[in-house]
Amino acid sequence: MSASTTLVWLRRDLRLADNPALHAAIAGGGPVVPVFVWGDAPGPWSTGAAARWWLYHSLRALDADLRGRGSRLVVMRGPAVAALAALARRCDAGHLHCSRTLDPDEPSATRLRQALSKAGAPIGVTVHDAGLLFGPPFPTTAEGRPYHVFTPFWRGCQAAGPPPRPQPAPSRLAPCPGQAGGMTPDEVRAEAVPPWSAGFADSRPGEAGAHDRLGDFVAGALARYAEDRDRPDLDGTSLLSPHLHFGEISARAVWHAIDDTLNGGGGSEAFLRQLVWREFAHHLLLEHPRTTSEPLRPAFARFPWNDDPEALAAWQQGRTGYPIVDAGMRQLWQTGWMHNRVRLVCASLLCKHLLIPWQHGARWFWETLLDADLADNTLGWQWVAGSGADAAPYFRIFNPVSQGRRYDPAGAYVRRWVPELAALPDAVIHAPWEAPASVRRSAGVQLIEPGEAAALAAGRTGAQPLDDGCYPEPFIDHALARRRALDAFATMKERAGA
Ligand SMILES: Cc1cc2nc3c(=O)[nH]c(=O)nc-3n(C[C@H](O)[C@H](O)[C@H](O)COP(=O)(O)OP(=O)(O)OC[C@H]3O[C@@H](n4cnc5c(N)ncnc54)[C@H](O)[C@@H]3O)c2cc1C
């Protein structure tokens, strides 16, 4: 008797190498149907607009890779259970393999099997772990409790020993049965390309792009990662985040490529530690699934936030008057990526200077980041707001001018993304209002009130320069904002009775 057909449901493991679900499906010996469900989980955190662009291109690359090995990718329209059940019936499949996403509302293997059976496809289900290095289950404290502070978590991961080595990609797959059907690439494309995506084209979604990116990083910036990773004016980081989010490369493959290259040297420790922040983020979200929208520290539910749509629009559109922040917000809009140091400064300005709820910032990032990842984004925002586990202390309020001067010392990053300031001297590029009027004039910079800037930007959604060399004065003075934020924190403590 020949082996029955197996579905392999690819989700955030869009790769052929080191993919346990795919390997298990092939090992079954029968025909294999690789399937992706487009729009599998409708809800507040369905894939954001920019990330959908990445996903579309990644699916195309995966389809090409599968075709190169004798198969193809079937793309079905969600919701997932109905789509998978229909496909299983059509192909007479007996089993489904998939990898966990670790999203908070993800069904277990048992629930998925029951749901498929209820939908008319009584098939076996196996769920694999392929996305992370050290869990789940993640290392725990000596008392068996989950870690809430990063450094001990990192030590716990180190004590667990290196993760398993990655498995190679299969060289051939059995042909995908003809009756599988699926959406056409054009149907997917129509739902995947936001109007502002022209600048995303420098990225190369897909497994081959991920491995090339890793190779370039290992051969180049890795050696100076510890020194350069905080410098947005340099190409000092790996840019692997969207590849890792969509699982085009496994974290294990990244870990071993780095560790083998530097043989445990100092540079590799700095990078691997950063990679483990991603583990920590997923570990925290598993422990605290509501933190995508609620503060992890309950006291922050009483924080006197200032829901100010005008200030939020100024931040989103890169016209806060703080050049490093505006540069970051424009880099995000135009390329779908922002440097980590600048994410911290931009997020801090929103939560602490403008007192806007962090959830609004997280939502904007969700729609505009190519690497939008529920666990990493939630961790980043809660960390900056001070409301998360192991968060920055509330009184650490980034000064956007000194952050700019420290991490973009000659202003190259600001000049690139805020071209209207490009001719200012280095000394004032991070604080144009400090330049004498004559210096501003000869640099072609005209400072305007935030209200005038809002009028010039009326009707826009994204972040781009204002007209005619106009640049706003800061939306709020740093010293004043700092005092206001500390007062707000004191009010929260009073309200919470702490
Ligand atoms: C407010 C805020 C929101 C963020 N939102 C996201 C998000 O939605 N998706 C996302 O992937 N990252 C997010 N980050 C984390 C970090 O900014 C990005 O992972 C990093 O900038 C990606 O660039 P890279 O790949 O060149 O990083 P590298 O420095 O080369 O690091 C390698 C990998 O390690 C992981 N990593 C590095 N730093 C962090 C970190 N602080 N937290 C978690 N993982 C990390 C990423 O997977 C990254 O690709 C956020 C950070 C902040 C402060």
Side-chain angles (χ1 to χ4, degrees):
M1 207 176 78
S2 60
S4 72
T5 300
T6 301
L7 305 187
V8 54
W9 179 21
L10 298 158
R11 297 198 276 181
R12 289 213 290 277
D13 52 343
L14 303 180
R15 61 176 183 270
L16 304 186
D18 201 31
N19 188 329
L22 180 65
H23 290 283
I26 294 170
V32 172
V33 182
V35 52
F36 182 86
V37 183
W38 182 257
D40 69 340
W45 300 109
S46 62
T47 311
R52 275 203 301 279
W53 178 94
W54 187 284
L55 177 56
Y56 164 68
H57 289 282
S58 187
L59 294 177
R60 294 205 66 171
L62 181 61
D63 183 47
D65 291 345
L66 284 164
R67 283 176 194 273
R69 288 168 169 82
S71 181
R72 72 174 180 104
L73 181 67
V74 176
V75 179
M76 299 285 291
R77 183 178 289 286
V81 169
L84 294 168
L87 184 64
R89 283 198 305 272
R90 214 154 55 217
C91 300
D92 198 16
H95 204 93
L96 177 143
H97 288 277
C98 64
S99 298
R100 271 206 250 205
T101 63
L102 295 179
D103 283 346
D105 52 0
E106 182 179 37
S108 64
T110 309
R111 268 184 43 216
L112 184 56
R113 192 170 53 240
Q114 288 165 348
L116 286 169
S117 179
K118 215 167 143 202
I123 62 173
V125 172
T126 310
V127 177
H128 302 260
D129 280 311
L132 295 166
L133 299 163
F134 297 104
F138 292 99
T140 53
T141 64
E143 298 76 41
R145 283 204 282 275
Y147 286 108
H148 275 95
V149 178
F150 176 74
T151 301
F153 177 81
W154 163 234
R155 284 201 210 101
C157 291
Q158 286 176 303
R165 288 210 161 252
Q167 298 296 308
S171 51
R172 291 269 337 138
L173 274 95
C176 175
Q179 69 271 30
M183 293 171 76
T184 66
D186 279 351
E187 282 177 279
V188 179
R189 189 179 188 284
E191 296 171 29
V193 180
W196 68 92
S197 60
F200 300 173
D202 283 349
S203 318
R204 211 176 124 221
E207 189 167 5
H211 283 272
D212 287 354
R213 181 94 283 287
L214 175 63
D216 288 352
F217 175 66
V218 165
L222 174 61
R224 287 194 46 84
Y225 182 79
E227 295 81 20
D228 292 349
R229 58 176 282 267
D230 268 322
R231 293 278 303 270
D233 56 335
L234 305 175
D235 292 330
T237 69
S238 72
L239 300 176
L240 281 168
S241 49
H243 298 290
L244 279 164
H245 169 73
F246 285 107
E248 296 168 353
I249 189 165
S250 71
R252 299 193 286 221
V254 176
W255 174 287
H256 284 289
I258 303 295
D259 207 36
D260 291 351
T261 307
L262 293 181
N263 210 5
S268 75
E269 161 119 359
F271 183 84
L272 297 179
R273 188 182 154 97
Q274 220 51 35
L275 201 56
V276 169
W277 271 100
R278 180 171 173 268
E279 305 282 306
F280 189 54
H282 284 83
H283 152 74
L284 284 178
L285 192 57
L286 269 183
E287 292 292 327
H288 306 283
R290 299 221 304 243
T291 53
T292 52
S293 54
E294 292 174 17
L296 189 141
R297 289 170 196 247
F300 273 80
R302 294 164 188 269
F303 191 86
W305 296 110
N306 177 23
D307 224 332
D308 178 347
E310 276 175 33
L312 177 62
W315 179 82
Q316 290 170 335
Q317 295 179 354
R319 50 178 176 81
T320 65
Y322 286 106
I324 190 85
V325 173
D326 296 336
M329 297 308 291
R330 295 186 197 181
Q331 180 184 32
L332 171 63
W333 182 252
Q334 287 169 44
T335 69
W337 186 84
M338 193 199 294
H339 189 278
N340 181 60
R341 170 57 50 183
V342 189
R343 291 187 205 204
L344 290 167
V345 179
C346 290
S348 171
L349 191 105
L350 188 82
C351 303
K352 306 228 166 136
H353 285 65
L354 304 177
L355 296 179
I356 291 179
W358 61 267
Q359 291 91 336
H360 292 335
R363 174 60 61 188
W364 183 254
F365 272 28
W366 185 255
E367 292 302 328
T368 54
L369 276 172
L370 291 168
D371 66 22
D373 180 279
L374 199 50
D376 288 346
N377 202 37
T378 301
L379 171 88
W381 279 97
Q382 295 246 17
W383 191 90
V384 172
S387 58
D390 197 12
Y394 194 82
F395 53 81
R396 189 179 298 152
I397 296 169
F398 284 128
N399 177 334
V401 175
S402 46
Q403 288 284 307
R405 286 179 175 150
R406 181 161 173 202
Y407 295 111
D408 179 30
Y413 179 74
V414 164
R415 286 192 174 86
R416 174 157 185 214
W417 296 109
V418 190
E420 63 270 36
L421 301 181
L424 283 175
D426 295 1
V428 291
I429 186 105
H430 290 288
W433 60 92
E434 285 179 2
S438 59
V439 171
R440 285 203 301 267
R441 230 181 351 266
S442 58
V445 176
Q446 190 196 342
L447 284 189
I448 59 175
E449 300 265 321
E452 277 181 76
L456 280 178
R460 291 184 183 178
T461 39
Q464 50 220 286
L466 298 170
D467 308 327
D468 300 332
C470 291
Y471 186 74
E473 288 164 358
F475 209 89
I476 183 167
D477 167 70
H478 172 68
L480 180 72
R482 186 183 151 74
R483 266 198 312 280
R484 204 174 65 156
L486 292 176
D487 287 350
F489 186 55
T491 304
M492 176 194 86
K493 279 173 63 178
E494 251 172 57
R495 287 180 182 173

